Amino acid sequence: MGTVKKILLSSSIVALSLAGAACGDSKASSSSKKEQHKTDSTTKPKKTKKDEVYFKDDVLKINDATIKLLDAEVVLPNSEKDVEIATLVLTYDYTNQSDHAMAPAHVFMDCFEAFQETETDFEELEFAMMPLSQKFDALDKLADKKVKPGTTVRSAIAFEILDMNAPVQLIAMQGFLGKDLGSKIYRLK
């Protein structure tokens, strides 16, 4: 029994020594992190004005981009042109104001939602495939391209229409799950 106690006691001492050494290293790295934090904190973050984020006069302005809504067109179902459902096509100018390349469609989808009122609720409209036509082909090609910072391009996006008699409400937000900035109503007829 005495030997077992000695082994356990020795093991405990070794374990505590290692734990103490680890704590010592932790304190050293913690103090170096504090020094690094002090160094990093001297760099001031960019300040943005509250009024730089808005949606008014068909212009959405957020920190990384500006989207100006230009035109809205209803494209009716047409079997000859492979259009199966009615769509609302929105044409817009997109300006990348970030420090990195971004795709216009991705920013648009993060910042806008479209709804139509039904008998029981408000249904969110799904994004739709762009109708096949020369008019929309060039705009659609730019939608998923990464646009360089400081560049403006014209693009388009489409929503599925649930009811041709109900207006579409486009809600602008400050990015995905951001605060609502305003809305615009599109009357389809």
Side-chain angles (χ1 to χ4, degrees):
M1 276 292 224
T3 310
V4 173
K5 283 185 180 179
K6 287 181 184 178
I7 292 173
L8 286 174
L9 183 60
S10 299
S11 298
S12 297
I13 291 172
V14 170
L16 287 173
S17 309
L18 292 174
C23 287
D25 289 340
S26 155
K27 288 179 184 174
S29 67
S30 171
S31 66
S32 68
K33 284 182 185 175
K34 285 180 185 175
E35 289 300 318
Q36 181 183 7
H37 178 66
K38 286 180 185 176
T39 306
D40 291 345
S41 66
T42 58
T43 309
K44 293 183 180 178
K46 290 182 185 178
K47 290 185 180 180
T48 58
K49 297 179 186 174
K50 266 191 172 178
D51 61 345
E52 285 184 331
V53 177
Y54 60 83
F55 179 66
K56 65 180 178 182
D57 300 326
D58 294 343
V59 175
L60 171 70
K61 171 71 176 84
I62 59 172
N63 293 334
D64 289 341
T66 298
I67 294 175
K68 178 166 181 43
L69 301 173
L70 301 173
D71 191 29
E73 183 176 335
V74 174
V75 178
L76 298 174
N78 183 335
S79 59
E80 293 174 13
K81 295 185 178 182
D82 283 340
V83 178
E84 296 176 12
I85 60 169
T87 57
L88 175 64
V89 179
L90 302 178
T91 304
Y92 60 94
D93 280 343
Y94 166 81
T95 303
N96 182 354
Q97 295 169 314
S98 72
D99 295 334
H100 56 280
M102 296 192 325
H106 299 176
V107 176
F108 194 101
M109 287 188 254
D110 283 347
C111 294
F112 287 101
E113 291 178 338
F115 293 87
Q116 276 190 305
E117 186 175 358
T118 66
E119 288 182 21
T120 58
D121 61 0
F122 289 92
E123 290 280 332
E124 183 173 357
L125 301 183
E126 298 289 327
F127 290 97
M129 294 295 295
M130 191 66 65
L132 298 174
S133 77
Q134 280 186 323
K135 180 177 183 178
F136 298 125
D137 283 348
L139 298 172
D140 189 37
K141 285 180 184 175
L142 287 172
D144 290 320
K145 299 281 185 192
K146 297 241 179 191
V147 176
K148 293 179 185 177
T151 303
T152 299
V153 296
R154 184 156 294 168
S155 191
I157 201 154
F159 291 96
E160 294 180 1
I161 296 174
L162 299 175
D163 181 356
M164 287 299 297
N165 296 314
V168 172
Q169 181 181 21
L170 187 70
I171 298 175
M173 300 168 296
Q174 186 179 354
F176 184 68
L177 299 176
K179 71 176 185 174
D180 286 358
L181 298 175
S183 66
K184 179 178 174 98
I185 301 292
Y186 291 97
R187 306 226 181 272
L188 303 178
K189 288 189 171 189

